[in-house]
Every structure is written in structure tokens, then in C-alpha cells.
Amino acid sequence: MSVLFCVVVGVVYAAAFSLLLQRDLLRVLLGVALLGHGANLVVFAAAGVGHGPAPLVAAGALAPPAGAVDPLPQALVLTAIVIGFGVLGFALALAWRVRGALGTDDLDALQATCRDAAGEGT
Amino acid sequence: MNDAVVWPVVLPFAFAVASLSAWRRPGLRALWAAAGHLAHLLASIGLLTAVLAEGVQVLRVGGWPSPYAISLVADPVAALLTLLAALVGAACVADVLLQPRERAPHPAFHALMLMLLGGVSGAFLTGDLFNLFVWFEVLLMASFVLLALEGRPPQLEGAVKYVVLNLMSSAFFLTALGVLYGKFGTLDLAHLATVVEGGNDRAVALASALFLVAFGVKAGLFPLFFWLPAAYHTPTPTVSALFAGLLTKVGVYALLRVFTLVFPPGTGFAHALLLGLGTVTMVVGVLGAASSTSLRRVLSFHVISQIGYMVLAVALQTPLALAAAIFYLLHHILVKTNLFLVGGLIAEASGGERLSGLGGLLQRWPLLALVFAVPALSLAGLPPLSGFFAKLAVLRAAFDASAWVPAAMVLLVGLFTLYSMVKLWQAAFWQPAPPSAPTPARPAGRRLLPAVGLASLTVAVGVGAGPLFEVCLAAGADLMARTPYLEAVLGVVP
């Protein structure tokens, strides 16, 4: 299971970086999102993936059963997913504004447009 | 257990919500904002007083014992930086409040500024690495929106680069957290400090390298700084002043904290790398500044160059060097915010930011020239201003560590910084105003107040450098020794 996770994480990171190197803004943002998912998987896998009882303390007991799964990475990943979702939402809205204001989502063209604008104004 | 730690984090958010509730009433909104920054300032002063009087303050959230609780920890470094954040936040909001009524900011502006300051304070005060990640996201989110708030094309371009690179750095940060947690099963800074061992541990080396990249992007370290000169000159002058003063410094603080507490010298290979990168950052930044022709772009490149000094001091890892890094951080936050604020006034008084289009301000606004000269000469490191002592301390630390090349670069870059500041002075104040340009009306004299306040603080830091540096030396020694922090958080140190 851990090996499978390692392979998946590797593939996700590779795909993310290949998307990040594109000129198209939407693809870059998808790359960022994918990179976040890869990082989430790393946190998830880091604590070890396997079978075990749920970390619930039985009535009358003082500690969870022996060999219980560590719930903390899942809490961390959940937090990271929520944050990632919010941030990605903002980034997509920003991309929409960029496309509306500049009429392009090609990063090279975007730079040229803005250099002209900056050259005039500042 | 002490409540003083929580107020600088909680109060900005409370007042941000209050200011949002006054969405349709600009006057009330401004009042909430002013009250919020004042409350933040008072809470930070209270915290610093408590820390200096009673030692490291720890708040374990939920009352769990460490390391299970997520703790807020205020040692002298964190408390000093929180106070500085509150100070420049107050200066920036004062700058906005003093603007003419027709240039009222966006309804969300004040709330975002307060959230940004709350996030920055949280990042300074947290004692947990995952919590640091969350605070980074909080302050980044606020900064994203502040950057793109006006929505003009250059801002959108700057925002795209800023957002993408910072999100990438967050992913690196999260990966590093995963690696560390997998290896040690904890993310509490103090607990990590006791379990991370030196030697050739691959997980430690990997995690420290990932942290270096993640914080390097946030700090604007070579070769990860390219988002900074693309973004910092685009928003309103107030916003870029706050960003330039605070945001990169949070990255430097994270480097300082993690590479003294969790990864002391001898763990991983990051310190040697930091030394080289810091030196190159100094040089590249100042060269970029020398070749820029627009006011705020010159200043942006100087942010990078100065980051190099601080990272260099962090990398040297002697008590003196860490004290120098702390002093440099304090000095730089004040000076850089002030330079951007004054830069905004210069641009407003001359109707543009291109250096060739400025001029004639010495006759029109002599007081502005004086207020510009204080932070500019301080940045260049002229005695008796704060920058002189900051640079002297870094230089001394480099000599003590026999780091000759970085020491030589410290001197050389100081010279270039002076050249660059003289260039700005010459363009804005000395050269005659360009004949063709229509001259806008001079902004009201009261607009100078925040800049005058920060300039007086810069002078005060220079004059009071002795006592302040004593505090920094003690803080640096504590950072090196690590025991005060660990004892405060964990109780007993094994």
C-alpha cells in the first residue's frame, strides 16, 4: 500500500510540475492545485498507510486500542484541503478577472500587455 | 499559562469582523480600523513587556499539556516582531485614513489589513509548524485580495505571479510537514527540537531543504524572488508599504526560527546553502535596484537585497549573528515601510513613478526630502541611523566567523545601496522638474505624519541602539542555546 502511495505521489508531482511549466494560466493553476493534492497525499502517507482499529477510546478504557491508526494526519490533511479549496477558488476568480481585463490567459502575452500598461502609468 | 500571547492574534480578527459589519458606513469602518490597530499595538506592547519581565510566555490552547496542545509561544524575538508589525500596520492605516475623502479605500480594505496583521502576528507567535502553515495561508489570502483589490491590469499581472509562486511554496511547506511528521510523529516546534538528531539523516536533510525552498520563496531569497519585483510595485502605495515591510520578513522569521530551533547547525546541509544564497541575494538584489528606473521597483529590489543580509546573519549561527539578524529585521521593517510610504507621496506629488519624470520636489516640499533622507540613509547604513548598527553587527559576525567573501559583499552592497538611494534622491528632489509634465497639487502636509512617525522611530532605534542591541544579544543567545524556549514550552528539558 505504501509503495502504491509513493508511486501515486510521484506521478501527481510530475504532472503538477509539467502543468506549472505551461504558458496557459488555467493549466498553471491546475498544476498548483495538483501540487497541493500531492502534498496532501504525502502527509497522509507519511504516518503510514495500513489497517488498524479506529482510534476511539472504548467506554471505561483510558487509551485507544493498541495499534490504532493515527488520526492526526487526516486532521492535518482535512485542514489543508479546506485551505487549498479556498485558495484555488480565489486563484480561479483571479484568472477570470485577468481574462476579462486583458483578453488573454497566455502568460507571455499577459506580461507584454502589462509591461505596456506599466510603462504608461508608472 | 498566560493570556498576553493570545491578544495580538485575536484582536485584529475581532476588529476586522467589526469593520466588515460597517460595510456601508465608511466613517464607522475607519473608526473600527483605527481602534483595531490601536488595540493590536497595545496588546503587542503588553506582550513584549510581559516577555521582557517574566521570560518566554506560553499559551497551550485547550489546556492540554505540551506537546499535545497547539501552543502560542512568545519569546523576545517573536514579541519584538509582533510589536513592529503592529507599529507599521498602524502607520499604514494612518496613511490611508489621512488620505482625502474622495480616495476612500474599498469597503473590505480595512478588514483585510487587520486580517493580514492578525495572520502575521499568528505566524510570529505560533509554536507549532502546522499552525505556522495555517497562519501563512491566512496572511497570504489577505495579501492576495489586497494586491488584486483595485483590479487594474498591472495589479492583476502582479497578483497572478504572486499567487502562483506563493501557492507553490505552500505546497513545498506542506510536503516538508508530511516528511517531518512521518519521521518524528510531531509538529510541535519545541518537541521537534528535542527529537531531531544531527548526522546524515535523510528525512531531516530532505525536510530542511524543503523548508528552505518554502520559506525562501516567502522571504524572497535568490533564486526564488522573482514574484517580488513583479508584484510589489503594483498595488496602492500603502499596501505595497505594508507588504514590503512585513511579508518577506515573516519568511525570514520562519527561516530564523526553524533553522535555529528545529534544525540547528549540524542537521542537514541547509546552513551552508543559506550562507551562499544570502550572499548572492544581497548582490543580485542591489544590482537589480541599480538597473531599475521606476521608484517602487528600485525599492522592491532593495527589499531583496536586504533580505540577503538577514539570511546571511541567520546562516552564520553565532549568538552575535542571530542578534544581528533580529536587529536587522526590526530596523528593516521600519525603514522599508517608511520608504514605500514616502515613495507613494513622491509619486503622488509628481504624478508618476518613472525616475526620469520626477524632480523639483526639494523646492516644493522640503520636509518630504528630509523625511525621505532618514530611512534612505538608514537603509544605506550611514551612522548614526539604525541601518548602520544593523550592518555593522552583520559585518562583525561575518568577520568573527571568518566568512570573508560574505563580509566583503556586505561592504560592497552597502556602497551600491548608498548609490541607489542617492540616485532616488537626485531624481526626486535634486533634478529640476521635467518641463512638459503637468504638476499635480501637493498632497496635504498632514499626509506626512505616518512617515514622520516611522522616521522618528528609525532615529530612536539608531540613538538607542545600545540598549536595544543588548535585548537582541540576549535574544540571540537564547535562540542559540534553545533551552529557554524549550523549558518554557515543555517544562523540563531532557
Side-chain angles (χ1 to χ4, degrees):
Chain A
M1 197 64 176
S2 283
V3 178
L4 181 65
F5 258 90
C6 291
V7 174
V8 170
V9 165
V11 171
V12 169
Y13 269 74
F17 280 116
S18 122
L19 281 170
L20 278 172
L21 295 174
Q22 312 267 326
R23 278 168 53 183
D24 183 289
L25 180 56
L26 190 62
R27 289 187 193 189
V28 170
L29 291 183
L30 285 177
V32 169
L34 214 50
L35 197 61
H37 294 324
N40 286 343
L41 282 178
V42 169
V43 179
F44 194 72
V49 187
H51 296 283
L56 299 173
V57 182
L62 288 173
V69 245
D70 183 358
L72 193 61
Q74 296 167 31
L76 299 182
V77 169
L78 188 61
T79 314
I81 289 175
V82 172
I83 293 173
F85 176 75
V87 169
L88 185 66
F90 173 80
L92 288 174
L94 180 67
W96 180 258
R97 283 288 294 276
V98 167
R99 204 179 148 75
L102 303 165
T104 177
D105 52 7
D106 182 295
L107 285 174
D108 286 0
L110 184 69
Q111 203 177 17
T113 322
C114 289
R115 196 167 290 149
D116 293 347
E120 295 293 297
T122 52
Chain B
M1 179 72 61
N2 198 310
D3 292 346
V5 193
V6 83
W7 296 118
V9 184
V10 171
L11 286 175
F13 287 102
F15 281 94
V17 174
S19 127
L20 276 179
S21 73
W23 186 269
R24 288 177 197 288
R25 301 175 61 186
L28 186 60
R29 216 161 52 216
L31 203 63
W32 278 122
H37 287 277
L38 191 64
H40 188 210
L41 194 57
L42 292 177
S44 312
I45 293 173
L47 177 61
L48 183 63
T49 327
V51 169
L52 291 183
E54 302 160 25
V56 181
Q57 304 284 307
V58 185
L59 176 77
R60 296 176 186 84
V61 177
W64 297 89
S66 287
Y68 302 106
I70 295 173
S71 40
L72 291 172
V73 187
D75 64 347
V77 189
L80 274 170
L81 287 172
T82 311
L83 176 60
L84 260 290
L87 273 173
V88 295
C92 286
V93 91
D95 182 62
V96 172
L97 294 179
L98 290 171
Q99 279 178 12
R101 207 168 274 273
E102 64 273 12
R103 291 232 313 270
H106 190 277
F109 176 83
H110 286 304
L112 288 164
M113 289 284 269
L114 283 165
M115 286 178 193
L116 182 67
L117 281 175
V120 169
S121 306
F124 284 148
L125 293 173
T126 185
D128 180 275
L129 268 179
F130 192 80
N131 214 230
L132 182 64
F133 169 75
V134 176
W135 286 123
F136 264 134
E137 297 300 300
V138 169
L139 71 90
L140 277 181
M141 202 64 200
S143 70
F144 290 166
V145 184
L146 275 175
L147 192 58
L149 202 57
E150 307 243 311
R152 285 181 291 109
Q155 297 187 335
L156 291 174
E157 184 210 342
V160 164
K161 291 173 186 168
Y162 181 78
V163 168
V164 168
L165 280 169
N166 275 293
L167 290 185
M168 255 179 72
S169 115
S170 297
F172 274 98
F173 192 173
L174 196 55
T175 313
L177 291 180
V179 173
L180 266 192
Y181 188 81
K183 174 79 183 173
F184 299 108
T186 178
L187 290 174
D188 186 89
L189 279 168
H191 193 206
L192 271 175
T194 58
V195 292
V196 170
E197 284 157 10
N200 286 325
D201 193 307
R202 281 184 199 159
V204 170
L206 174 62
S208 70
L210 285 168
F211 278 125
L212 179 63
V213 174
F215 298 149
V217 171
K218 315 248 185 227
L221 201 58
F222 177 86
L224 309 161
F225 64 74
F226 294 97
W227 57 271
L228 197 153
Y232 270 21
H233 64 288
T234 59
T236 56
T238 320
V239 172
S240 57
L242 191 67
F243 282 19
L246 275 186
L247 293 192
T248 46
K249 262 53 75 184
V250 183
V252 176
Y253 167 77
L255 285 172
L256 177 68
R257 179 64 78 201
V258 168
F259 286 104
T260 54
L261 194 60
V262 183
F263 306 111
T267 48
F269 49 84
H271 292 95
L273 213 53
L274 274 176
L275 189 67
L277 290 180
T279 312
V280 180
T281 308
M282 280 193 306
V283 177
V284 172
V286 88
L287 291 181
S291 66
S292 293
T293 54
S294 153
L295 184 59
R296 272 195 284 171
R297 271 182 76 90
V298 174
L299 293 177
S300 301
F301 273 110
H302 276 297
V303 175
I304 298 167
S305 170
Q306 305 287 309
I307 291 294
Y309 281 92
M310 293 172 234
V311 171
L312 174 64
V314 171
L316 287 171
Q317 291 280 336
T318 60
L320 176 65
L322 294 180
I326 300 163
F327 191 85
Y328 214 112
L329 274 165
L330 304 177
H331 140 75
H332 184 76
I333 292 176
L334 281 177
V335 162
K336 205 76 225 185
T337 310
N338 202 3
L339 277 175
F340 271 83
L341 285 179
V342 177
L345 291 177
I346 292 176
E348 200 180 322
S350 30
E353 288 196 30
R354 295 186 78 77
L355 293 185
S356 52
L358 305 174
L361 280 174
L362 190 60
Q363 283 84 31
R364 289 179 56 212
W365 205 354
L367 197 54
L368 184 69
L370 182 66
V371 176
F372 177 79
V374 171
L377 296 179
S378 178
L379 189 82
L382 257 63
L385 296 161
S386 56
F388 169 71
F389 298 102
K391 282 198 167 66
L392 184 67
V394 175
L395 189 65
R396 178 73 195 277
F399 274 135
D400 284 356
S402 308
W404 305 117
V405 176
M409 288 304 150
V410 164
L411 289 170
L412 191 67
V413 171
L415 204 63
F416 270 98
T417 311
L418 185 60
Y419 157 73
S420 194
M421 287 300 123
V422 170
K423 184 174 85 172
L424 287 185
W425 167 275
Q426 202 271 340
F429 299 104
W430 207 258
Q431 75 181 3
S436 57
T439 347
R442 207 189 82 176
R446 66 192 154 95
R447 300 280 307 281
L448 269 177
L449 277 176
V452 169
L454 289 178
S456 340
L457 278 173
T458 308
V459 174
V461 169
V463 172
L468 184 60
F469 203 76
E470 289 295 320
V471 175
C472 292
L473 268 178
D478 284 359
L479 276 181
M480 268 310 269
R482 305 199 293 166
T483 34
Y485 191 97
L486 299 184
E487 269 173 8
V489 179
L490 299 175
V492 210
V493 178

